Amino acid sequence: VSALTRDEASSSPKPSAFGPFLVEHQIGMGFSGPVFRAFDPENELPVAIKAFQLDITPEQAHALAEHFNRIARIGLSEPGVVTPLSAGVEDTVAYLVLEHVAMESLDVAMRDYAPDEIDRSIKLIAQLASAIDCARAVGTLHGALHPRDVFVAKDSVKVGGFGVVLALEEIGF
């Protein structure tokens, strides 16, 4: 699945909410489904919601959400990690709520801005490695790191998607 541009959207209708989180608009598309920018009214913050529109049973959707909630409870909050905040199930769609980051995914940045200065690239790679090390130190793995999971800005990197592959494997997907 390729990255969405700001003008593209999935063929699925945009939900109005996932649990208490109010959906604003779609910001991306992954292999498992769309990613939305939403608003957390309790904390008055923007969040990102990754919807898992997969061919799974309601029981599998609940097991997936529980796995994501375990990851959120770990408190994975290193500066280079997109922090998982919570998860749930809306109808039969499991969803993962993440810290919202206003950064380009690496696949888009590489397409639009590559090649880059070597000093900047080394700095960003070091930050990426640090985020992966931090997650590993608390027992969380990525499992399938993809440029869509890496977000870059001028001087910083954030990595998301930790624990997703393991959660999908746990439910037999």
Side-chain angles (χ1 to χ4, degrees):
V1 178
S2 62
L4 284 178
T5 67
R6 290 182 182 93
D7 300 325
E8 295 176 299
S10 75
S11 59
S12 303
K14 175 185 80 79
S16 60
F18 284 95
F21 305 99
L22 308 174
V23 174
E24 295 174 351
H25 59 273
Q26 186 172 335
I27 57 175
M29 186 70 180
F31 83 95
S32 62
V35 180
F36 299 98
R37 179 186 162 111
F39 184 73
D40 174 356
E42 181 180 326
N43 297 304
E44 297 184 358
L45 293 171
V47 294
I49 297 180
K50 187 176 249 194
F52 290 81
Q53 295 178 331
L54 305 170
D55 187 19
I56 57 177
T57 67
E59 294 80 17
Q60 288 173 308
H62 284 281
L64 195 58
E66 179 51 38
H67 182 92
F68 294 147
N69 274 314
R70 285 193 309 268
I71 293 169
R73 287 190 296 270
I74 289 172
L76 188 59
S77 61
E78 200 265 354
V81 174
V82 178
T83 304
L85 303 171
S86 70
V89 177
E90 190 70 34
D91 296 322
T92 59
V93 176
Y95 63 89
L96 173 60
V97 182
L98 302 155
E99 158 195 20
H100 181 268
V101 293
M103 302 165 92
E104 297 257 56
S105 62
L106 183 58
D107 60 334
V108 171
M110 287 182 350
R111 181 184 68 221
D112 293 345
Y113 308 115
D116 202 353
E117 298 172 14
I118 192 72
D119 290 343
R120 179 173 179 257
S121 296
I122 290 170
K123 179 180 178 182
L124 298 178
I125 290 168
Q127 289 177 22
L128 174 62
S130 177
I132 293 168
D133 286 346
C134 174
R136 178 70 178 134
V138 296
T140 304
L141 300 175
H142 195 284
L145 190 60
H146 186 278
R148 255 178 272 138
D149 298 319
V150 179
F151 301 92
V152 295
K154 183 178 179 185
D155 293 319
S156 62
V157 168
K158 282 197 167 269
V159 184
F162 288 101
V164 171
V165 169
L166 181 58
L168 292 171
E169 287 175 353
E170 276 187 11
I171 65 164
F173 190 78

